[in-house]
Amino acid sequence: MINLLSGEWYKLRKSKSFLICCVVIICSVFLVYGTLNIGSESVWASMGIMDVYQQVVICFVNMTSVIFSALFVITEFVNGAIKNLVGKGYSKEKIFLSKFIMNSVAVVMMVVLSAIVSWVLGCFFIGTEGINGALIRDYVIFTLLQSGLMIALNGIVITLSEVCRNLGAGISIGIIIVGFSTLLSSALDLVFNRFSISFKATDYWVVDVMQNCPISGFGANVVIQVIFVIVLWSVLAIGAGMWHFRKADIK
Amino acid sequence: MDYILKTENLTKIYGKTKVVNAVNMHVKKGDIYGFIGKNGAGKTTFMRMVTGLAAPSEGELELFGKKDLEKQRKRIGSLIENPGIYPSMTARENLEVVRRSLGITDKNAVDDMLKFVGLSDTDKKKVKNFSMGMKQRLGIAIALFRNPDFLVLDEPINGLDPAGIKEIRDLLLKLNKEKNITILISSHILGELSKLATRYGIIRDGSLIEEFSAEELNEKCRRCQKVFVDNADLAVTILEDKLQITEYDVPEQGVIRIFSHLEQSGKINQELVLGGVEVKESYIAGQDLEAYFMDLLGE
Amino acid sequence: MQTILVGIVILLIVVVGILTFRLWSYRKQTEHIVEELSILAEEDTNYRLSSCCAVGKTEEMIQKTNQIIARHRELERKLKKENTTYRESITSISHDIRTPLTSAKGYIQMLQTKDVSQEQKAEYAAIVEKRLDDVTGMLNLLFEYARIEAGEMVWEPELLNAGNLFVEAISMFYDDFVKKGCEPEVEISQSPCHIWGDKHAFVRIVENLIKNALVHGKGEYRLSLIREKEEVVLCVSNRTDSIEEKDIERIFDRFYTTDQSRSRKTTGLGLAIVKKFTEKMDGTVEASLADGKFAVTVRLPRMRQP
């Protein structure tokens, strides 16, 4: 298993698309700080590093990571490199899992990158006054939670990409999930409400949880709910992915 | 019998069509097995099943005489259709990915392999800028990387120039002789295969219609004198008694093929006529390999 | 206080995690190696060990084991090849010996028929004798080679005058050259050439080289013994049409005969013996082919006369 991961890591290191994604993320941090600056002084007063960081993550990092994940998986099929692994003595499950793990590593790296850059630029633009122990603690917890959510989200994208194996389709699916799935979950909520079911879809859908994740005051309930969502969707994604990959032929 | 590959009723169904239909193939250890068929006859699909890229719909597959395919597949190297390479990386980087994924511990293996296939001076060149021949060579490097005992190659000489084809041919012969590697190679370039193969398998519309060795092929295509007579029995007696000819056969009614004494064809005709046999037609025939295959493939 | 506690707990969890991971890796790696070794143990295969989880020194262990496996495989291959060569040579030698004996028998049978003239009797008898000499010669070569291999040759090194021995050997074959109609070009260095070695061995070297040239060569014979600064260089060359480039590297192998010269006159041992003797006298021997001319060059360390 570790050798599979080693191969994937080497690929990641040499991957141009990963580099581009990281650059995009860095630029997006600048972008967000830039838009804040245009506003009046009072806007600065209320916006902290935390807010900027949150904006960066829920608007840019998720979109970028999803596109990266789709590329990461689908190019394997398009250029036939998957043939070098399948049928060489490794079970299909292991192969899929190794790709999932390495992709998760890449995605977490993107989140951490955005965290660091936001922090650094925040100190530069806003200043270091508001920084205290609580902020640091919140920052770290937020990073951890969002990393987990990002893994779950990209897990879903990877599985769907593996199923469709087409570059255009995969990227479109990724963008649609990130951009529009919240509409669907809100609609579901209305339906449930109509039928007086007290179940709220928006509490359990990854993208919603990602967007609604608080930036301070992480109570036990919140954390547990987030972790539950992460585990639920990750397991579903890995399970479905492994099952499909095992079944399907490599063209 | 030491069979490297043995399939029993191996079948693949896509939708409603049997793309591969109950194929019983036998590849012996040390063979170079030439797999011949038209485009779309099912060669590639069959090879995909052998290497594990596709799952069979029916039938069984045995590798190295065993059924634990996952373990035995470690001993196979394959090149199916296009080589699996990352276009934006160099040849060395591509091989490095393979080396790590397969857990090969020798750090020099990549350089050695590049030298072996003649790609060692490509340093910074990205694979997308490679010529067809270089890409094929890289594909073969990947296939050979784990010191396989069995090579499965699907049309490896596709798109190569004559020099490239000769290189691959020499390489395959060397691997077969020196490292005892069994090779299953498919192609529709008959001339090339006939220089390499020790056994042949003909596939047509998904079914394996014939399997024979290279010697048997030469037998079937041997030069002979073909004589069309009215009375084959009498003719045969004359051949044996008068002319002491024993190397002949009677493939159909009224047709005799004489394999020896080709230079005395005139005398043979004379003796037959003198003995009371009506010789309708007589000529020297020798079936050309290509014609034989075309026949089989149903052209 | 609480943060420190939390910190320590987290640290402990991390450490335990890492240790468990390493343990798991070692276990996976060992299982993997055992599985792969079972492939290697039972089959004739090119397979080498691979690593599944790189941990500790296991990769180095795999690497070193693979080197041993590679050597083993190479030995296996060589052994197979040697066995094949050996079998082939036994077959060809027995054929080579049988042929002149059959021929001799045929002539003897002819001698036993009633109406044979005295002249013919004498002629046939001479032929039979020649055939038997041929067989004796072949068997001698064979036994000599076997003894060299077994290290049973008597070796008495002394200071030899290479030039004199060379001339003696050539003169023994002079008749044969004349019969063939090609007088050889001979060049011998004027100044004395001394070497340290066994007399019988040196004479053998010259004899075998000349014999070889006579049997296989097509003319333009050139025999030379030249004195160089540190070496005495002996060279026998002739025109040939039976040797190809690919034969050069194997020409000194025992029992090696070229494709064309399956003319049943040689055992393929002559040059092998030359090589063995030369090397025993700390010399080198080399074969070359250029413009249809085949040459064997023997270099021996030169001794200064005391």
Side-chain angles (χ1 to χ4, degrees):
Chain A
M1 179 63 148
I2 298 206
N3 50 334
L4 286 173
L5 289 173
S6 171
E8 298 291 327
W9 171 246
Y10 185 79
K11 239 174 53 199
L12 191 67
R13 257 177 40 205
K14 298 277 173 193
S15 155
K16 237 195 323 192
S17 53
F18 184 62
L19 205 62
I20 294 178
C21 288
C22 293
V23 168
V24 165
I25 291 175
I26 296 175
C27 291
S28 64
V29 179
F30 272 98
L31 196 68
V32 176
Y33 276 116
T35 54
L36 290 184
N37 218 5
I38 294 173
S40 58
E41 283 287 6
S42 57
V43 179
W44 272 120
S46 60
M47 280 288 210
I49 294 179
M50 206 55 204
D51 304 279
V52 173
Y53 180 30
Q54 184 196 36
Q55 283 302 309
V56 168
V57 168
I58 65 181
C59 297
F60 294 98
V61 177
N62 55 8
M63 187 69 82
T64 321
S65 68
V66 152
I67 296 179
F68 171 77
S69 301
L71 276 176
F72 191 67
V73 168
I74 297 177
T75 48
E76 296 282 293
F77 291 94
V78 165
N79 60 27
I82 195 80
K83 290 186 290 198
N84 293 340
L85 292 175
V86 174
K88 290 290 187 291
Y90 298 107
S91 65
K92 280 183 162 178
E93 289 90 346
K94 266 204 197 131
I95 296 175
F96 184 83
L97 193 61
S98 70
K99 295 206 185 287
F100 180 89
I101 292 177
M102 194 45 66
N103 180 269
S104 303
V105 166
V107 150
V108 167
M109 278 169 71
M110 285 190 211
V111 173
V112 169
L113 176 68
S114 68
I116 295 174
V117 175
S118 304
W119 184 272
V120 166
L121 286 184
C123 296
F124 182 67
F125 285 131
I126 303 182
T128 55
E129 310 141 356
I131 298 177
N132 52 24
L135 183 66
I136 296 178
R137 192 196 62 202
D138 286 343
Y139 209 77
V140 168
I141 297 180
F142 185 75
T143 307
L144 286 173
L145 291 178
Q146 287 292 359
S147 300
L149 288 167
M150 207 61 72
I151 291 177
L153 172 64
N154 282 286
I156 298 173
V157 172
I158 286 180
T159 301
L160 291 172
S161 303
E162 190 275 319
V163 171
C164 72
R165 297 183 187 182
N166 175 293
L167 212 50
I171 294 182
S172 316
I173 290 177
I175 294 178
I176 290 175
I177 290 181
V178 167
F180 303 108
S181 61
T182 46
L183 291 176
L184 184 60
S185 56
S186 305
L188 275 177
D189 268 355
L190 284 175
V191 170
F192 289 148
N193 202 16
R194 182 77 178 73
F195 290 105
S196 307
I197 304 173
S198 62
F199 178 78
K200 290 191 87 182
T202 46
D203 280 345
Y204 297 99
W205 174 234
V206 188
V207 185
D208 280 306
V209 173
M210 195 182 278
Q211 289 181 344
N212 298 335
C213 183
I215 54 177
S216 62
F218 294 100
N221 295 0
V222 173
V223 172
I224 290 177
Q225 188 200 10
V226 170
I227 292 181
F228 175 72
V229 167
I230 295 173
V231 170
L232 171 71
W233 288 104
S234 301
V235 167
L236 274 179
I238 297 181
M242 278 199 206
W243 175 81
H244 180 266
F245 189 52
R246 190 201 178 124
K247 219 176 50 96
D249 293 338
I250 312 280
K251 281 287 175 298
Chain B
M1 236 335 99
D2 249 356
Y3 284 124
I4 294 283
L5 169 69
K6 189 161 93 127
T7 68
E8 218 177 280
N9 286 327
L10 203 65
T11 307
K12 183 71 183 170
I13 306 176
Y14 280 132
K16 295 225 173 83
T17 355
K18 283 194 177 178
V19 176
V20 175
N21 191 357
V23 170
N24 298 317
M25 184 184 279
H26 307 86
V27 181
K28 280 192 254 184
K29 190 169 163 98
D31 273 347
I32 300 184
Y33 192 104
F35 196 20
I36 302 180
K38 287 198 288 188
N39 284 328
K43 303 192 295 289
T44 309
T45 315
F46 178 80
M47 285 175 147
R48 281 219 190 88
M49 286 196 279
V50 169
T51 51
L53 292 173
S57 313
E58 285 164 28
E60 300 209 331
L61 178 58
E62 238 180 56
L63 282 170
F64 301 100
K66 305 219 170 78
K67 298 220 170 152
D68 54 344
L69 298 176
E70 208 169 277
K71 184 168 158 189
Q72 297 301 332
R73 284 209 174 106
K74 290 188 185 190
R75 297 164 69 185
I76 300 184
S78 63
L79 177 54
I80 309 278
E81 287 184 318
N82 296 321
I85 46 186
Y86 298 98
S88 53
M89 294 209 261
T90 69
R92 175 167 280 117
E93 286 166 357
N94 265 290
L95 276 181
E96 184 65 27
V97 173
V98 175
R99 181 187 82 83
R100 285 171 181 234
S101 308
L102 297 181
I104 294 170
T105 50
D106 184 9
K107 298 259 186 321
N108 300 326
V110 172
D111 286 315
D112 290 340
M113 184 52 76
L114 283 175
K115 198 155 80 170
F116 187 70
V117 293
L119 286 174
S120 30
D121 46 357
T122 52
D123 268 343
K124 298 275 178 189
K125 201 169 180 188
K126 301 224 158 92
V127 166
K128 61 184 171 207
N129 298 325
F130 274 13
S131 68
M132 186 77 194
M134 290 164 89
K135 283 192 197 151
Q136 288 292 97
R137 274 191 270 166
L138 184 55
I140 291 185
I142 295 177
L144 289 174
F145 215 26
R146 224 180 0 179
N147 291 297
D149 294 319
F150 185 30
L151 264 184
V152 178
L153 302 172
D154 184 27
E155 316 237 4
I157 52 183
N158 224 1
L160 290 181
D161 63 4
I165 293 180
K166 180 171 190 311
E167 261 178 55
I168 303 283
R169 188 197 330 141
D170 290 340
L171 179 64
L172 292 178
L173 284 171
K174 183 167 146 191
L175 290 171
N176 180 253
K177 284 258 145 45
E178 289 183 12
K179 302 227 174 125
N180 216 10
I181 299 182
T182 311
I183 304 178
L184 170 64
I185 172 170
S186 81
S187 183
H188 49 253
I189 304 183
L190 299 169
E192 261 316 298
L193 271 192
S194 63
K195 290 186 200 150
L196 272 177
T198 59
R199 267 168 86 78
Y200 295 92
I202 316 286
I203 187 168
R204 183 164 149 185
D205 296 325
S207 306
L208 194 69
I209 48 180
E210 264 196 74
E211 254 191 335
F212 45 80
S213 69
E215 288 96 39
E216 286 169 15
L217 178 66
N218 281 330
E219 267 296 312
K220 291 188 196 182
C221 301
R222 259 167 97 183
R223 274 174 62 83
C224 62
Q225 179 184 4
K226 224 170 176 182
V227 191
F228 293 79
V229 297
D230 61 341
N231 189 341
D233 293 326
L234 178 59
V236 159
T237 331
I238 296 175
L239 285 178
E240 291 206 4
D241 289 339
K242 275 264 167 56
L243 298 161
Q244 271 89 46
I245 291 178
T246 48
E247 287 184 59
Y248 65 86
D249 71 8
V250 186
E252 346 165 349
Q253 270 268 32
V255 181
I256 305 179
R257 290 195 307 175
I258 306 168
F259 296 110
S260 60
H261 298 81
L262 287 168
E263 67 291 356
Q264 294 179 8
S265 55
K267 179 152 183 274
I268 294 176
N269 287 337
Q270 214 173 30
E271 289 291 337
L272 287 175
V273 168
L274 284 175
V277 176
E278 194 184 311
V279 176
K280 299 185 202 164
E281 230 186 299
S282 165
Y283 56 86
I284 304 284
Q287 202 171 24
D288 155 74
L289 285 183
E290 190 150 335
Y292 184 71
F293 283 125
M294 285 299 149
D295 243 350
L296 282 177
L297 289 171
E299 297 285 338
Chain C
M1 185 61 205
Q2 215 183 13
T3 356
I4 299 178
L5 217 59
V6 169
I8 292 179
V9 169
I10 294 182
L11 191 66
L12 277 174
I13 294 179
V14 165
V15 167
V16 168
I18 293 180
L19 286 176
T20 321
F21 180 66
R22 276 184 83 89
L23 200 66
W24 175 81
S25 300
Y26 269 114
R27 199 178 126 191
K28 270 262 124 61
Q29 183 81 304
T30 335
E31 280 170 2
H32 176 83
I33 293 178
V34 165
E35 197 185 295
E36 301 215 318
L37 282 175
S38 69
I39 300 180
L40 285 164
E42 22 169 322
E43 315 255 351
D44 165 30
T45 172
N46 289 321
Y47 197 66
R48 307 266 170 90
L49 292 179
S50 68
S51 151
C52 94
C53 296
V55 59
K57 289 226 169 207
T58 54
E59 288 215 317
E60 205 181 310
M61 179 178 95
I62 291 175
Q63 176 66 356
K64 295 224 150 67
T65 314
N66 279 338
Q67 282 169 350
I68 297 179
I69 293 172
R71 226 177 46 217
H72 173 89
R73 185 110 184 108
E74 184 61 25
L75 284 173
E76 244 178 18
R77 192 181 68 85
K78 266 206 192 133
L79 192 66
K80 235 197 252 176
K81 197 165 124 190
E82 288 220 357
N83 276 345
T84 321
T85 320
Y86 185 68
R87 268 197 314 259
E88 285 172 4
S89 30
I90 295 276
T91 316
S92 84
I93 287 178
S94 51
H95 186 287
D96 294 349
I97 293 180
R98 212 183 315 140
T99 312
L101 287 179
T102 315
S103 164
K105 186 154 179 211
Y107 278 107
I108 290 183
Q109 283 176 339
M110 294 220 281
L111 276 173
Q112 289 170 334
T113 59
K114 291 285 157 77
D115 39 343
V116 178
S117 69
Q118 279 300 104
E119 270 176 4
Q120 277 178 323
K121 275 199 188 153
E123 192 190 324
Y124 294 164
I127 293 176
V128 170
E129 200 179 338
K130 171 116 194 354
R131 294 281 178 268
L132 292 178
D133 282 341
D134 284 343
V135 174
T136 316
M138 274 189 225
L139 285 173
N140 280 341
L141 260 182
L142 193 56
F143 287 138
E144 182 166 57
Y145 191 80
R147 283 172 65 202
I148 296 173
E149 285 278 88
E152 287 173 16
M153 284 302 304
V154 174
W155 191 263
E156 287 165 347
E158 52 181 305
L159 190 69
L160 304 169
N161 186 320
N164 291 349
L165 292 172
F166 188 56
V167 169
E168 269 176 43
I170 296 180
S171 52
M172 279 205 314
F173 286 96
Y174 194 73
D175 282 337
D176 297 285
F177 277 113
V178 166
K179 235 194 282 176
K180 206 156 169 171
C182 311
E183 216 177 287
E185 199 187 309
V186 179
E187 181 191 334
I188 305 186
S189 165
Q190 296 289 32
S191 25
C193 307
H194 286 89
I195 54 169
W196 183 259
D198 180 282
K199 179 167 167 191
H200 168 80
F202 181 70
V203 169
R204 217 40 170 141
I205 290 177
V206 181
E207 273 179 10
N208 282 3
L209 287 177
I210 299 180
K211 249 193 251 175
N212 225 41
L214 276 170
V215 166
H216 299 296
K218 290 278 174 297
E220 286 176 47
Y221 294 101
R222 197 169 182 286
L223 317 166
S224 65
L225 185 78
I226 309 175
R227 167 177 136 153
E228 283 185 10
K229 242 176 133 212
E230 300 296 329
E231 294 177 321
V232 168
V233 182
L234 158 67
C235 182
V236 172
S237 77
N238 55 265
R239 194 156 50 80
T240 175
D241 56 10
S242 57
I243 297 185
E244 293 168 15
E245 194 57 52
K246 66 173 166 82
D247 297 316
I248 294 292
E249 49 181 66
R250 298 186 57 196
I251 201 117
F252 292 108
D253 289 353
R254 61 177 187 180
F255 302 130
Y256 187 77
T257 51
T258 59
D259 293 333
Q260 263 93 317
S261 66
R262 299 234 128 239
S263 53
R264 314 297 170 212
K265 289 216 180 106
T266 57
T267 48
L269 285 174
L271 286 178
I273 293 178
V274 164
K275 182 164 185 218
K276 278 248 175 270
F277 279 155
T278 309
E279 285 173 353
K280 195 144 181 178
M281 298 201 277
D282 293 326
T284 59
V285 63
E286 202 177 49
S288 61
L289 183 66
D291 296 328
K293 285 199 131 197
F294 175 67
V296 179
T297 312
V298 171
R299 293 171 183 274
L300 294 164
R302 189 169 81 80
M303 286 288 136
R304 294 175 201 277
Q305 201 166 17

